[in-house]
Amino acid sequence: MTRLTNNDVKDISDNLGELEKFLLEKTGRTIKKLACEAVGMWEYAIDVKEYTVAVVPVTTGEGVISRFSESVRDICKWIGFEAFVTDSADISGFREATERMADIIFMADDEEFVAYNLKARKCANNSMSTAKAYIAALAASTDLLVRKDVLVVGAGRVGSRMAKLLIAKGANVSITDIDHEKSLQVQRDNPRVKAIEDVGEAIRSHKYVLNASPGHIDTCNIMEGAHISSPGVPHTFDDEAYEKAEVIIHDPLVIGVAAMAMESAYFSYLGCRK
Ligand code: PYL
């Protein structure tokens, strides 16, 4: 998993309004609505104010990213949750979260990022939630993706999940990666997915692109009028790319975290409907 930098995260809280304005203009959805569509729930099925989110800083591996926990807290508050960052980190922070009666606990080390719902005893994870959220954003930027040719760039954790989810949505899915063996593995796991070895050619021939790779996409390869949904970090699209594409949807953390929060809360709703 590519690790966010302090620079990726530092302005997230201050830019939530700007991102929401962009999403409303390009997809007709708010951050919360997009997150709900990503997880397949009606926006008003649950009253998010009833859920308290705790975000626990985690010091393992390369350690804490400045303002990462505060950004996750602010994203959850933006979509209506009660949310706080624990004063302590790691296990002490987890204990603090339980003592402060959190319903959902967010924690991220360098490998995993989860939103654990204590009542439902289930985790939402960033890779799956981000895959769902950016597919929802791409779908909302056009009409449905059914029978559309969609390319996934990057056959890692997010890209491989995107390919599987897109097949279920009826799209014609191709996947490409600089490591063609990774694309072939996704094709073996999902026979309806087509692995394309030439990354440049794959991008040049697709109007609908989900970019789940940390690699740079050359502007010369972008199709005029392309719809690009791009959670990948680092985000290296230049002004010319934004000119050439119809839309490029990106943020380093917000849409994925919003989908994690809604998905985690939804576990309780689904559980209590027994
Ligand atoms: C969740 C992000 C999205 C892309 N890469 C993932 C990443 O950067 N993971 C590392 C997160 C580390 C957080 C650190 C903290 O501040 O608690 N342990």
Side-chain angles (χ1 to χ4, degrees):
M1 180 186 280
T2 309
R3 183 177 154 99
L4 291 171
T5 66
N6 296 342
N7 193 51
D8 290 327
V9 175
K10 66 183 173 48
D11 300 322
I12 285 176
S13 299
D14 294 339
N15 291 348
L16 286 170
E18 199 178 312
L19 174 64
E20 182 132 285
K21 185 164 167 282
F22 171 84
L23 288 173
L24 278 167
E25 183 191 319
K26 296 292 185 182
T27 71
R29 273 85 170 158
T30 62
I31 294 169
K32 182 184 178 188
K33 181 104 172 75
L34 203 52
C36 291
E37 284 185 3
V39 302
M41 65 178 279
W42 179 50
E43 186 174 0
Y44 303 101
I46 57 176
D47 181 358
V48 290
K49 285 196 304 301
E50 291 174 4
Y51 291 80
T52 298
V53 167
V55 187
V56 182
V58 173
T59 63
T60 58
E62 295 190 46
V64 164
I65 298 174
S66 160
R67 284 206 57 76
F68 176 85
S69 294
E70 290 75 9
S71 300
V72 173
R73 173 201 63 200
D74 293 345
I75 294 161
C76 291
K77 290 173 89 165
W78 182 269
I79 60 176
F81 290 87
E82 293 298 318
F84 64 90
V85 177
T86 56
D87 299 328
S88 306
D90 303 326
I91 307 304
S92 305
F94 182 84
R95 178 168 171 260
E96 180 187 337
T98 61
E99 286 170 350
R100 292 173 65 178
M101 307 305 282
D103 301 298
I104 295 170
I105 298 179
F106 277 79
M107 290 181 285
D109 61 16
D110 292 345
E111 291 310 315
E112 283 295 343
F113 179 22
V114 297
Y116 180 61
N117 180 318
L118 284 81
K119 271 187 252 183
R121 300 191 297 277
K122 275 187 84 171
C123 264
N125 77 72
N126 183 256
S127 299
M128 181 55 89
S129 296
T130 298
K132 290 177 178 178
Y134 273 83
I135 289 171
L138 182 68
S141 77
T142 174
D143 43 33
L144 294 172
L145 294 177
V146 178
R147 284 193 296 282
K148 281 202 171 68
D149 294 336
V150 181
L151 175 70
V152 176
V153 181
R157 280 197 284 188
V158 175
S160 54
R161 284 168 171 80
M162 283 176 164
K164 193 181 180 78
L165 290 165
L166 283 163
I167 291 292
K169 285 185 176 295
N172 304 321
V173 187
S174 297
I175 192 161
T176 190
D177 190 292
I178 52 171
D179 178 350
H180 189 49
E181 183 43 42
K182 287 170 79 174
S183 299
L184 288 172
Q185 184 55 53
V186 173
Q187 181 176 282
R188 282 191 287 271
D189 297 342
N190 310 274
R192 292 174 62 89
V193 174
K194 183 165 161 267
I196 301 176
E197 184 158 15
D198 183 328
V199 175
E201 176 48 36
I203 296 167
R204 281 192 295 275
S205 56
H206 282 82
K207 178 177 178 181
Y208 298 101
V209 178
L210 279 153
N211 174 39
S213 83
H216 174 68
I217 288 183
D218 287 336
T219 299
C220 62
N221 287 332
I222 295 174
M223 186 187 279
E224 284 289 341
H227 293 231
I228 302 175
S229 187
S230 181
V233 288
H235 183 67
T236 59
F237 291 96
D238 56 22
D239 291 347
E240 192 192 340
Y242 277 86
E243 283 298 310
K244 199 170 179 187
E246 170 62 29
V247 60
I248 298 177
I249 300 165
H250 171 76
D251 87 273
L253 191 62
V254 179
I255 298 172
V257 163
M260 287 172 77
M262 293 315 303
E263 182 145 45
S264 192
Y266 198 39
F267 292 146
S268 296
Y269 174 80
L270 294 174
C272 75
R273 287 183 63 202
K274 278 185 194 120

